[in-house]
């Protein structure tokens, strides 16, 4: 028998197997997507056309058509909340990326040696608890606003500058206060966006920068005419995700659109109207995403990432003064990333008198034991930590496995409707979870999962970004030749996944675990509507209950915030090496070599 015929016989079962195995790999993701995302979305559309008031309402269900939409379009409170949230989300997301893109560019071309270290430090605020950020802002932000307001009043009373200020438009004075309001969100997510842009900028050939430099092109021209056109697909995804995240923000005052919809649905019992408002909010989201796609998103479905560096490219030859200036700016960014984080732990050890000192005492206090004792007497600390650890751990572990399976299928398998199905994955990245809050809660009640952790972590298994990132990493880092050699040696697809794909995905799994765990650990907006008893609270809920109207026992509050930050911090330290490689180095692991078991081929001398 000819060698080619024998090979064809060996490979034919492999080819037949590959026709259906990819569907098994992507099935867990799409089952969760259809059950907990698509079905609730369809139910939201249905309920928006009715007068539905909930399962416990005695009012008969009636079809009302588009009257819910008409009523809330004319509702001034809805329109004001929508415009306030839309404007705030637009301002915050744009400023995040206007800072992140130049910062990632400077790290890429000018500070390659320190790129991984600096980007990892900038990522630190991302794992900080939102409650800590809110408290930090309430402490520092108000004082800064008062100082700024007093300074403007003094300048306005000056006979020289007063008349000039009177002629200035009103928006000039609103800008600094607006920046202070959105500063916490910029601070928290700047490192996350720098991470995304460093990933895409690492795919740009370093020889392109060197050639442009030899041609006399300045750094600003490189950023504008070379880098920005090549990173536009990532700008589309990152900007869209930032905008949707900010638009879905809940606030305690009820001034955001998400808080207003929740109040109308949960407290006023108008679930049909709440569904209609959710769909109108979704329409505004699609409008923004569509505009972003027209501006930046062409070719987004074919975006490629790489973690292999192209040799040892040199840093841009800055002038000494310029390098020192940029270095000071980067160092200032590190200080701004670390100092507020450390201040949280310092306040956890201080008395109220030490807490309210001006300027703040940037060191440990003398009240550590009392604050901890007061904390454990007011909340079941260990129980709350276990609840959060279980919820975040299950959601993270499940998402990692599901995403790794789907990412492998999309990276190295060919099957029908692959492009369409991957498009669904990409679309799910832009699908706000708050849109399905009402029908998902109803589904959890129907399944008997109300006030149970699985009501939150099971729907959270759907993560389009995780599948996207896994697909990009596996495609870039695992050679097809390795998989083909394993199949020829008789390895099945499941063995290939567990013995090759899963181990080689360890670096990206480590970073993704940090991102997912921090998200689930710090998220408590949906938990507020799910858990009603203190023993079932997640740690962020329990700590939030310690806030007092008289603003006393602040050390106890910050002790709870600090303890709630420890678990993401430990995972951050464990994942630090992978995070640094993720943004500044070569993540390709040693790929095992598979050789054919054919003794004739083994004995064939090399040419």
């Amino acid at each position: 028998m000819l060698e080619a015929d024998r090979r064809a016989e060996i490979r034919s079962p492999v080819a037949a197997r590959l026709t259906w195995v990819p569907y098994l790999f992507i099935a867990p993701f799409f089952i969760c997507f259809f059950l907990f995302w698509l079905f609730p979305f369809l139910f939201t559309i249905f309920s928006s056309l009715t007068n539905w008031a909930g399962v416990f309402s005695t009012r008969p269900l009636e079809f009302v058509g588009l009257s819910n939409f008409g009523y809330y379009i004319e509702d001034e409170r809805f329109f004001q909340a929508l415009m306030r949230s839309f404007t705030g989300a637009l301002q915050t997301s744009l400023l995040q990326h206007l800072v992140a893109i130049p910062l990632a560019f400077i790290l890429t071309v000018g500070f390659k040696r320190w790129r991984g270290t600096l980007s990892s430090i900038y990522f630190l605020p991302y794992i900080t608890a939102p409650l800590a950020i809110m408290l930090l802002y309430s402490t520092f932000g108000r004082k800064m606003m008062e100082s700024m307001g007093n300074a403007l009043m003094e300048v306005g009373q000056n006979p020289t500058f007063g008349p000039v200020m009177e002629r200035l438009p009103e928006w000039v004075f609103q800008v600094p206060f607006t920046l202070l309001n959105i500063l916490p969100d910029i601070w928290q997510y700047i490192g996350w966006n720098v991470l995304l842009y460093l990933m895409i900028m690492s795919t740009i050939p370093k020889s392109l920068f060197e050639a442009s430099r030899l041609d006399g092109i300045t750094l600003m021209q490189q950023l504008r005419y070379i880098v920005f056109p090549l990173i536009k697909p990532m700008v589309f995804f990152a900007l869209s995700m930032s905008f949707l995240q900010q638009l879905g923000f809940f606030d305690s005052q009820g001034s955001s659109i998400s808080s207003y919809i929740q109040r109308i649905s949960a407290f006023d019992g108008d679930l049909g109207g709440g569904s209609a408002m959710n769909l109108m909010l979704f329409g505004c989201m699609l409008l923004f995403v569509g505009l972003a796609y027209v501006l930046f998103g062409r070719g987004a479905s074919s975006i490629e990432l790489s973690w292999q560096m192209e040799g040892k490219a040199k840093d841009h030859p800055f002038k000494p003064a310029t390098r020192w200036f940029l270095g000071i700016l980067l160092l200032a960014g590190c200080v701004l990333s670390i100092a507020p984080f450390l201040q949280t732990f310092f306040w956890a050890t201080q008395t109220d008198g030490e807490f309210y000192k001006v300027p703040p005492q940037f060191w440990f206090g003398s009240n550590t034991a009392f604050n901890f004792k007061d904390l454990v007497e007011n909340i079941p600390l260990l129980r709350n930590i276990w609840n959060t650890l279980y919820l975040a751990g299950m959601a993270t572990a499940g998402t990692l496995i599901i995403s790794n399976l789907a990412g492998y299928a999309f990276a190295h398998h060919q099957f029908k409707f692959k492009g369409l199905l991957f498009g669904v994955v990409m679309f799910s990245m832009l699908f706000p979870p708050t849109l399905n809050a009402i029908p998902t809660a109803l589904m959890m009640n129907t399944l008997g999962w109300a006030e149970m952790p699985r009501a939150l972590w099971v729907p959270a298994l759907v993560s389009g970004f995780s599948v996207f990132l896994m697909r990009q990493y596996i495609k870039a880092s695992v050679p097809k030749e390795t998989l083909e050699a394993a199949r020829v040696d008789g390895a099945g697809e499941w063995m290939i996944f567990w013995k090759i794909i899963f181990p080689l995905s360890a670096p990206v799994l480590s970073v993704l675990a940090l991102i997912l765990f921090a998200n689930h650990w710090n998220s408590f907006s949906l938990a507020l509507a799910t858990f009603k008893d203190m023993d079932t609270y997640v740690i962020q809920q329990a700590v939030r209950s310690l806030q007092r109207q008289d603003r006393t026992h602040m050390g106890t509050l910050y002790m709870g915030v600090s303890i709630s930050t420890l678990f993401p911090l430990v995972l951050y330290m464990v994942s630090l090496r992978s995070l640094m490689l993720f943004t500044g180095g070569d993540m390709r692991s040693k790929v095992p070599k598979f050789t054919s078991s054919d003794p004739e081929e083994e004995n064939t001398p090399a040419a």
Side-chain angles (χ1 to χ4, degrees):
M1 181 181 294
L2 295 176
E3 184 69 18
D5 295 335
R6 191 171 66 82
R7 284 181 174 272
E9 289 184 0
I10 293 176
R11 295 187 179 220
S12 57
V14 175
R17 185 178 66 216
L18 294 179
T19 58
W20 56 270
V21 166
Y23 295 104
L24 292 181
F25 286 157
I26 66 176
F29 174 86
F30 282 98
I31 289 173
C32 293
F33 176 78
F34 286 118
L35 285 178
F36 301 109
W37 290 63
L38 186 60
F39 173 74
F41 177 67
L42 296 176
F43 187 84
T44 299
I45 297 176
F46 167 77
S47 60
S48 69
L49 304 176
T50 68
N51 66 340
W52 186 50
V55 293
F56 301 107
S57 174
T58 58
R59 186 173 63 186
L61 184 68
E62 295 180 2
F63 180 79
V64 297
L66 300 177
S67 61
N68 286 327
F69 294 89
Y71 176 80
Y72 283 103
I73 285 177
E74 298 177 356
D75 183 4
E76 186 176 350
R77 295 173 299 173
F78 168 73
F79 182 76
Q80 290 177 350
L82 179 61
M83 292 303 299
R84 186 162 46 244
S85 297
F86 194 93
T87 304
L90 185 62
Q91 292 172 340
T92 304
S93 55
L94 286 177
L95 284 174
Q96 284 178 8
H97 297 274
L98 286 175
V99 175
I101 292 175
L103 187 57
F105 175 68
I106 292 173
L107 291 174
T108 299
V109 301
F111 295 86
K112 297 182 179 68
R113 182 180 178 183
W114 300 100
R115 177 173 57 183
T117 302
L118 292 175
S119 59
S120 299
I121 294 175
Y122 298 153
F123 190 77
L124 189 61
Y126 185 78
I127 68 171
T128 305
L131 182 60
I133 296 173
M134 180 185 70
L135 293 172
L136 284 167
Y137 173 72
S138 64
T139 302
F140 287 115
R142 291 176 182 174
K143 295 178 180 179
M144 293 178 65
M145 283 191 175
E146 290 176 1
S147 301
M148 189 179 298
N150 294 332
L152 288 175
M153 288 181 62
E154 292 180 2
V155 173
Q157 294 173 358
N158 186 284
T160 303
F161 298 102
V164 177
M165 293 183 63
E166 291 179 357
R167 291 194 295 268
L168 293 176
E170 186 177 352
W171 64 266
V172 173
F173 302 100
Q174 293 177 348
V175 168
F177 294 99
T178 301
L179 289 175
L180 281 176
N181 279 325
I182 64 179
L183 187 61
D185 293 316
I186 296 176
W187 177 77
Q188 183 177 15
Y189 294 106
I190 190 71
W192 162 249
N193 291 308
V194 168
L195 173 70
L196 294 178
Y197 290 123
L198 284 176
M199 284 194 300
I200 190 67
M201 289 182 187
S202 67
T203 65
I204 302 175
K206 304 303 180 289
S207 56
L208 193 58
F209 292 115
E210 295 176 359
S212 62
R213 188 166 63 243
L214 293 175
D215 288 342
I217 297 178
T218 64
L219 274 181
M220 288 300 298
Q221 291 173 329
Q222 287 183 15
L223 177 60
R224 180 178 179 182
Y225 297 110
I226 298 177
V227 174
F228 190 74
L230 294 176
I231 68 171
K232 274 187 176 182
M234 182 60 77
V235 173
F236 164 67
F237 283 118
L239 183 61
S240 298
M241 287 190 292
S242 297
F243 179 80
L244 298 182
Q245 183 180 44
Q246 294 298 322
L247 196 58
F249 174 72
F250 286 86
D251 67 331
S252 57
Q253 290 80 23
S255 60
S256 70
I257 184 61
S258 297
S259 301
Y260 181 73
I261 293 174
Q262 185 186 49
R263 189 177 73 225
I264 294 296
S265 303
F267 298 105
D268 295 353
D270 188 6
L271 296 176
S275 298
M277 287 189 288
N278 263 324
L279 290 177
M280 287 189 283
L281 176 61
F282 184 58
C284 294
M285 293 177 176
L286 288 183
L287 180 64
F288 176 85
V289 172
L291 180 61
Y293 180 81
V294 171
L295 295 175
F296 312 115
R298 304 292 174 85
S301 61
S302 59
I303 184 174
E304 297 293 342
L305 302 179
S306 175
W307 286 269
Q308 287 75 55
M309 298 180 68
E310 185 188 342
K312 294 184 178 180
K314 297 180 180 179
D315 286 344
H316 184 85
F318 291 113
K319 294 180 180 179
T322 304
R323 177 168 289 275
W324 273 101
F325 175 73
L326 293 176
I328 292 173
L329 286 181
L330 295 175
L331 183 60
C334 293
V335 173
L336 291 175
S337 298
I338 296 175
F341 189 84
L342 291 178
Q343 186 64 63
T344 301
F345 290 91
F346 294 150
W347 276 336
T349 65
Q350 297 176 6
T351 63
D352 282 346
E354 294 170 331
F355 176 84
Y356 285 110
K357 281 186 177 180
V358 180
Q361 179 178 319
F362 193 70
W363 193 244
F364 296 102
S366 58
N367 213 36
T368 305
F370 175 82
N371 291 340
F372 182 77
K373 181 181 178 182
D374 192 28
L375 176 67
V376 297
E377 288 178 352
N378 283 277
I379 64 172
L381 180 62
L382 292 179
R383 182 64 185 177
N384 297 143
I385 290 176
W386 166 249
N387 293 340
T388 318
L389 188 63
Y390 172 75
L391 193 155
M394 291 296 292
T396 300
T399 303
L400 291 179
I401 294 175
I402 290 175
S403 302
N404 206 359
L405 285 168
Y408 169 47
F410 283 117
H412 285 306
H413 285 83
Q414 299 298 327
F415 51 94
K416 288 184 178 180
F417 310 113
K418 176 181 175 180
L420 176 62
L421 293 174
F422 189 66
V424 174
V425 172
M426 303 288 276
F427 175 73
S428 68
M429 294 169 57
L430 309 175
F431 209 90
T434 54
L435 178 65
N436 292 331
I438 298 172
T440 300
L442 177 63
M443 181 183 293
M444 296 303 110
N445 286 327
T446 304
L447 294 174
W449 293 1
E451 297 192 34
M452 299 177 67
R454 70 186 67 169
L456 294 183
W457 70 258
V458 173
L461 295 176
V462 179
S463 174
F465 176 78
S466 300
V467 175
F468 166 74
L469 191 62
M470 290 304 310
R471 181 252 187 189
Q472 301 303 110
Y473 177 80
I474 293 172
K475 188 174 182 180
S477 301
V478 181
K480 290 183 179 180
E481 293 78 8
T482 300
L483 307 181
E484 290 297 329
R487 292 185 183 113
V488 170
D489 278 0
E493 292 303 313
W494 288 105
M495 180 180 290
I496 290 175
F497 175 78
W498 290 112
K499 298 295 184 180
I500 301 178
I501 300 297
F502 194 77
L504 293 183
S505 302
V508 71
L509 286 173
S510 176
V511 175
L512 195 54
L514 171 63
I515 295 171
L516 293 171
F517 187 86
N519 276 335
H520 296 307
W521 183 274
N522 292 327
S523 177
F524 66 95
S525 57
L526 294 178
L528 290 173
T530 304
F531 305 128
K532 306 299 182 184
D533 183 71
M534 178 64 78
D535 287 332
T536 63
Y537 277 7
V538 296
I539 185 64
Q540 305 295 342
Q541 271 183 291
V543 172
R544 192 169 182 259
S545 68
L546 297 173
Q547 289 183 274
R548 303 190 180 205
Q549 294 292 334
D550 57 3
R551 294 183 65 81
T552 59
H553 292 256
M554 296 301 291
T556 302
L557 178 61
Y558 275 96
M559 177 63 73
V561 170
S562 300
I563 292 176
S564 71
T565 308
L566 287 178
F567 285 88
L569 181 61
V570 170
L571 186 58
Y572 171 81
M573 299 302 295
V574 172
S575 308
L576 188 58
R577 183 173 179 273
S578 295
L579 187 63
M580 293 173 65
L581 289 173
F582 202 71
T583 57
D586 187 351
M587 289 185 68
R588 172 170 288 188
S589 304
K590 292 183 179 180
V591 180
K593 302 296 183 182
F594 288 83
T595 58
S596 175
S597 59
D598 188 353
E600 295 181 3
E601 289 191 357
E602 290 179 357
N603 297 327
T604 301

